[in-house]
Structures are given as structure tokens and as C-alpha cells.
Amino acid sequence: MIADVEKREAVVAAFKHAWAAYERDAMGFDEYHPISKKGENLAHSDGIGYTVVDAIDTIYLMGLEPEYQRARSWIDKKLNFDQPGEFSTFETSIRVLGGLLSTYYLTSDRLFLTRAVDLADRLIIAFDTESGLPLPSVDLKNRKGVADKYAVDRVSTAEAATLQLEFRYLAELTKNDTYWYKSEHVMSVIDKAKLPHNLVPIYISASQGTFKESEIRLGSRGDSYYEYLLQAKTESIYRKMYMDSMQGIHDELVQITPTRNMTYIAELVPKNWFSGDHDYTLQHKQDHLVCFLAGSLMLGATTVGAVRKTVSVPPQLHELSAQGRRDWQTGVNLLETCMYTHETATGLAPEIAMFRTDKDTTETRDWYIKNSRPGGPSSYDARYMLRPETVESLFIAWRLTGDIRYRDYAWGIFTSIERYAKLPGGGYATVLDVDTVPVSLDDKQETFFLSETLKYLYLIFCESSVLPLQDTVFNTEAHPLPVFAPTIKPRFSI
């Protein structure tokens, strides 16, 4: 598929607008506040390069050589992981470790591998628990895992199970199997604790390795567990876990609205939070984060769910298994629903959508934003945080089908971002209420806007030879890593 050069270059210009403002006002700081033109570091530290390292592979892919050299120079001369404070094991792994590894993959520059090893050797301490599940935070300077201060035995399931791509690739590069076995062991613990429907609650005990009474969802603290099962599909054990969990999603969570027949993914909420019986009730709520699943289902259908090694573009039904055909159709339908949630005053989707369960032809939408009153005070659910999940799925759908509507959808989202989130003085900010125009903005340019949202938009308008799906996996922060056959022998089996 050929590039749409004009639209691709418009995305590059948007990235330069965002990056130049950060570089001008906050170079080296972990986070950026574009309205006040200030940077902020995490954990009361001197910073560990969240924004720089998260964005550098996008800079490289876009061919922005001067910006790349300045970012590389900062990583070479100023990046220092010997920092006290409590850094998120998950966020640091997917953003910083993932960014270093992906840039090494793209450039073969050993600076990035050296920095990755330094960071990984500090993060790996988090896995030293009774169960082998990683603690949620790490003191990088003192190389000490840190428990959740509000619930010392609680670990987020997705956060514990979204480290495997990074540590396994680093193990393959360095032949240090400690990275591999510690991260792989997490999946063994989760598999042993799984519920009959093969879905996972969002919290698990760090000491016992058993699930805590908590929601089952594909939004926050649940999403990337399922994503990484597919991304590790070169191994049969992960393929089985993926297929079993997709069956559970279809059995328990896939719903269809009664008016417009829109497919969405509901949540399961405990009926009794303290019973320990894992008895749930359905909640008709879908986070924007869930929109990753549309592309994941489509990709899974053409790989795990295919009956032949390669499939056509677009895939033909006879090339897919029965489960593959089911997953493909659910993915296509879910992506349409995600685009449906962009039918707002700004053309941007809210953080959380609630779905109507009663047929009502008087309502213009099958979904609504909880506690939102256009023109009134904004609710958390109503905001658009520059998130990437829908454009991530549009990227996968475009690559797998060549259907121009997916490029058109992506361009519509991009133009809405340009119109409502762009700051004239540089940078982009969170839109507080997607259904209210003129918009109010929150003073935050998320790092994932640079590492994910704009990267996926760029790739949608590139030629398909750039990071082909058959050779590349993307971690949950959109850092590309290679598909490889491991040389380290797995210990985990069912």
C-alpha cells in the first residue's frame, strides 16, 4: 500500500509542533505542561527521561535527524537512572525500557542497549516477591521494590503481565535468561489463578498469587494483559491463553446495543466486594482504552485464528478458522463502535462511554457520558486525553484490509485533534469535555501522544513496508520490537 504523502507530512508537522514546544520549555523533564510551559519530573527526582525516551523512536521513524541527534545526545550525556524515589515498574518498563529497546532495534546503536540493561537491572528487583509477581514501584537508586502504600499486597494484573515483551527481548539480546524467566513466571502464576471463563480480575495478591475481588474489564488495569498474550504469539502457550481469553470475552463481555446494534465490551463488577466468591454483575461501560481490542482481534484472527501461514489483504473467510472469523467480525464491529463514540461536538471520543440497554428511538446516541452536561462542569469521563487506542486499531485495520475508510477515519480524528487540542504557542493539551465547544483544556501533553498517537497516525499514512506487521510487534506504548524465535528455552507450559 502506498503512502499518502500530504497527510503523512501533516502528521509529521504536528509532531514537530508538539516536540519543539517540549524541547523549548522542558527538555529532559519527564512530563510537559504546555499551557504553563513547564516541565515536571516524577517521584520527586531529577527525571528519567520519560518524554525523551518515549518519543525518540517516533522521531527516528519520521526522519527528523536534528531532533533525533539532540534527543540521543541527552540520553547519552544526561540520562541517569541512579535516582531515589518510587517509579512505576509498569510505566517505566513500557515507556523507558521499551523506548530504549525499540530505538536499539531500529538503529543498532549500542548506546540504547547499554542504557536498557542499566535500567532493567534496577527494575528486575521488583520481581523478588513471595509469588514472583512484580511490586508496583521500584526505588531505582537503592534497587528496591516498593509495595502499594494503600494496599500493600495488591498488584495490578495488567501491570504485572505487561513486562514480558520488553524483558524477553532484552534476554534474547544479552543472553541473560534472568530477564526471561522472571517475567515469564508472572504468566505462570496468572494462569494457575485464572477463573473458569479465562478472564482476569484487575488485582492479584503479590504474596499469594491469587486474584483479589475486583472488576474484570478490558479498560485500565486489565487491557494490556490480553494485548501481550497476542504479542507473544510465537509460543504455543501464549496462543492458547489468548484463544481461551477471547472465548471468555465473547461469552461474558461482548454486548450489542438494542437500537443501532453497536458492539461494545462491557465490564464485570463484583456483587459482593468482600465475599471472595467471584460472583459478578454486568456494567455497560467501555473505556476508550478498550478500543485497542478491535485491532487486536483483527490481528489475532489473521495469525492465531488463521488456517494458513499467510492470509490475503483483506483476509478471505476460508483463510480463517471459525474462531478467527468470529474474532475478525467482532473486531470490525467494535472498531465501528469506537468511531461512533467520536460522534461528539469535537469529533473526539470521551474517556468513558456508558451504553444504553433499553431500546429508545428518541435518543440520538446509543451511548452517553455519565454526569456530563454540555456547557456545564465537565466530568472526568468526558475528557479526551490525546489517547491512541482507536488510531492504533485503525492502523492495524488499514494494514490488514487496505480499506480506505480506515485512513479516512484516522484523518478525521487527526483533524479534530488539530482543531481542538492544538495550542498556538506550541504543544497539545487534553480536551476537558468532548461535547462542549468552545473547548476547555487541561495543562497536560501526555507522553503517549508522542510515542503512540502520532506514531500510529504517521504509520497509517506511510507505505506498508514501514514496520510490516509480520515482522514487528508493538509494545503497549507503541514501541516496535522484532518478532523473533527465542533461543532461550521457555519453562512455562500448561
Side-chain angles (χ1 to χ4, degrees):
M1 291 173 275
I2 64 172
D4 185 324
V5 176
E6 182 178 356
K7 291 184 173 71
R8 183 191 67 192
E9 293 309 304
V11 175
V12 173
F15 182 91
K16 292 173 71 174
H17 184 81
W19 176 260
Y22 165 76
E23 193 173 13
R24 177 194 66 205
D25 300 328
M27 183 63 178
F29 280 88
D30 289 329
E31 297 186 326
Y32 178 44
H33 303 288
I35 296 174
S36 57
K37 296 181 170 61
K38 294 179 180 178
E40 181 181 3
N41 285 323
L42 301 171
H44 307 290
S45 70
D46 292 332
I48 57 170
Y50 261 54
T51 295
V52 178
V53 183
D54 215 6
I56 192 170
D57 61 357
T58 308
I59 295 172
Y60 181 81
L61 285 167
M62 289 183 174
L64 302 176
E65 184 63 20
E67 290 87 346
Y68 172 76
Q69 290 299 335
R70 291 194 297 271
R72 185 196 181 282
S73 177
W74 188 91
I75 292 169
D76 183 27
K77 297 176 181 177
K78 296 185 178 181
L79 179 59
N80 177 19
F81 294 129
D82 201 35
Q83 301 276 350
E86 298 177 10
F87 294 89
S88 166
T89 308
F90 167 70
E91 296 291 355
T92 306
S93 295
I94 65 169
R95 300 186 192 214
V96 186
L97 183 60
L100 291 168
L101 289 172
S102 67
T103 310
Y104 174 72
Y105 166 54
L106 295 171
T107 67
S108 299
D109 184 336
R110 293 194 66 84
L111 166 68
F112 301 104
L113 180 58
T114 300
R115 294 294 195 185
V117 170
D118 180 17
L119 177 58
D121 286 347
R122 299 168 190 270
L123 291 170
I124 203 72
I125 302 300
F127 292 85
D128 292 342
T129 62
E130 186 178 346
S131 67
L133 296 174
L135 291 171
S137 299
V138 176
D139 180 334
L140 295 177
K141 181 179 179 65
N142 296 303
R143 303 188 182 219
K144 180 181 178 181
V146 182
D148 184 333
K149 66 180 68 175
Y150 302 108
V152 294
D153 190 44
R154 187 178 71 179
V155 174
S156 162
T157 305
E159 292 187 5
T162 311
L163 311 171
Q164 287 65 34
L165 284 183
E166 296 81 4
F167 279 97
R168 283 150 48 92
Y169 179 47
L170 184 59
E172 189 68 23
L173 291 172
T174 62
K175 305 307 176 187
N176 181 346
D177 61 10
T178 298
Y179 302 137
W180 186 286
Y181 292 136
K182 283 184 177 287
S183 62
E184 181 188 63
H185 177 70
V186 171
M187 305 308 290
S188 176
V189 173
I190 291 174
D191 184 66
K192 289 176 182 176
K194 68 185 179 185
L195 303 181
H197 46 46
N198 295 300
L199 302 178
V200 296
I202 63 171
Y203 288 114
I204 191 168
S205 165
S207 61
Q208 302 300 312
T210 54
F211 286 117
K212 290 181 172 290
E213 200 78 47
S214 52
E215 301 96 321
I216 292 175
R217 65 188 185 212
L218 274 82
S220 60
R221 301 189 182 279
D223 49 355
S224 49
Y225 162 74
Y226 303 95
E227 182 182 5
Y228 271 36
L229 292 181
L230 178 62
Q231 301 295 43
K233 59 185 176 290
T234 54
E235 294 178 52
S236 59
I237 180 61
Y238 292 104
R239 290 198 297 272
K240 184 179 187 309
M241 291 177 71
Y242 173 79
M243 293 174 72
D244 289 347
S245 65
M246 292 307 104
Q247 184 65 52
I249 288 170
H250 280 86
D251 290 343
E252 304 290 338
L253 304 182
V254 173
Q255 303 290 311
I256 298 175
T257 63
T259 304
R260 290 182 60 173
N261 298 318
M262 306 301 295
T263 296
Y264 64 98
I265 310 299
E267 300 181 356
L268 293 175
V269 179
K271 289 182 179 179
N272 186 336
W273 286 90
F274 306 104
S275 67
D277 59 9
H278 296 293
D279 190 18
Y280 295 90
T281 186
L282 205 62
Q283 184 177 38
H284 298 273
K285 164 181 172 285
Q286 179 176 290
D287 292 4
H288 186 280
L289 291 166
V290 177
C291 288
F292 90 90
L293 183 65
S296 190
L297 281 165
M298 295 172 76
L299 183 59
T302 59
T303 51
V304 176
V307 296
R308 51 191 295 182
K309 188 173 181 179
T310 59
V311 299
S312 307
V313 178
Q316 304 300 305
L317 290 180
H318 71 271
E319 298 172 332
L320 308 179
S321 66
Q323 178 170 336
R325 292 192 293 271
R326 179 202 65 192
D327 290 357
W328 177 268
Q329 194 58 57
T330 301
V332 169
N333 293 345
L334 177 59
L335 188 47
E336 290 299 318
T337 299
C338 291
M339 289 308 306
Y340 180 34
T341 62
H342 279 266
E343 293 182 10
T344 62
T346 59
L348 299 169
E351 181 71 359
I352 299 173
M354 306 296 296
F355 285 85
R356 307 183 195 280
T357 57
D358 297 324
K359 190 166 187 175
D360 187 348
T361 57
T362 65
E363 294 289 348
T364 57
R365 300 191 300 212
D366 277 11
W367 63 277
Y368 62 96
I369 304 171
K370 190 176 180 179
N371 299 325
S372 176
R373 292 181 296 125
S378 60
S379 73
Y380 174 83
D381 294 10
R383 64 183 54 207
Y384 173 68
M385 300 169 60
L386 306 172
R387 285 205 185 275
E389 284 72 22
T390 298
V391 293
E392 174 185 356
S393 285
L394 290 173
F395 160 66
I396 294 171
W398 163 251
R399 286 288 182 90
L400 294 178
T401 67
D403 189 334
I404 195 64
R405 68 174 163 154
Y406 295 122
R407 270 187 167 176
D408 291 342
Y409 284 158
W411 184 247
I413 293 171
F414 176 72
T415 56
S416 290
I417 292 171
E418 287 289 282
R419 183 173 182 181
Y420 294 108
K422 185 175 185 178
L423 299 171
Y428 293 76
T430 290
V431 175
L432 286 172
D433 190 332
V434 296
D435 252 346
T436 298
V437 176
V439 298
S440 296
L441 299 173
D442 187 39
D443 190 12
K444 184 73 174 292
Q445 178 175 282
E446 300 284 354
T447 72
F448 54 68
F449 180 61
L450 301 173
S451 67
E452 297 187 74
T453 308
L454 291 175
K455 182 185 287 134
Y456 282 127
L457 284 166
Y458 174 79
L459 291 172
I460 287 168
F461 298 111
C462 277
E463 55 272 18
S464 57
S465 60
V466 178
L467 298 179
L469 291 178
Q470 67 269 23
D471 300 329
T472 311
V473 294
F474 292 85
N475 87 339
T476 197
E477 194 73 4
H479 294 305
L481 300 171
V483 174
F484 64 91
T487 59
I488 297 173
K489 185 178 180 179
R491 292 176 178 171
F492 174 33
S493 62
I494 293 179

